[in-house]
Amino acid sequence: MPVAVGPHRQSQPSYFNHVKMGFMMGYAVGMAAGMLLGTFSCLRIGMWGWELMDGIRKTMMQSGGIFNIFVAIRMGIQH
């Protein structure tokens, strides 16, 4: 879909900026989902204290790292 150029010669973000934005959005959403899923799964198996925090951190990093790839690819295809 074409985007109208404004009076100050503003243009669309570049392809790289779209992919970068998708990467960051995917990482944020993935980490939020990982926090919820990690908290419930770690509490369910009986973790507590620093072990709980470590388990949540690992789950957040894994889900953020996976989800950002998919969103970045989607944003690149959409552009």
Side-chain angles (χ1 to χ4, degrees):
M1 171 186 293
V3 175
V5 177
H8 300 290
R9 300 279 184 205
Q10 297 173 347
S11 62
Q12 291 181 317
S14 68
Y15 177 78
F16 178 72
N17 284 337
H18 268 276
V19 173
K20 185 172 61 172
M21 183 174 59
F23 189 83
M24 295 305 293
M25 285 175 25
Y27 198 72
V29 170
M31 284 190 66
M35 185 179 70
L36 291 172
L37 295 173
T39 301
F40 291 131
S41 65
C42 289
L43 287 174
R44 186 174 49 115
I45 63 173
M47 290 184 178
W48 197 249
W50 289 109
E51 186 182 28
L52 173 67
M53 295 306 238
D54 215 23
I56 293 171
R57 179 186 57 83
K58 287 178 185 175
T59 308
M60 286 174 68
M61 292 298 204
Q62 287 174 350
S63 60
I66 292 295
F67 197 67
N68 69 3
I69 294 169
F70 294 118
V71 176
I73 291 171
R74 172 67 177 119
M75 290 295 280
I77 291 172
Q78 185 180 6
H79 182 70

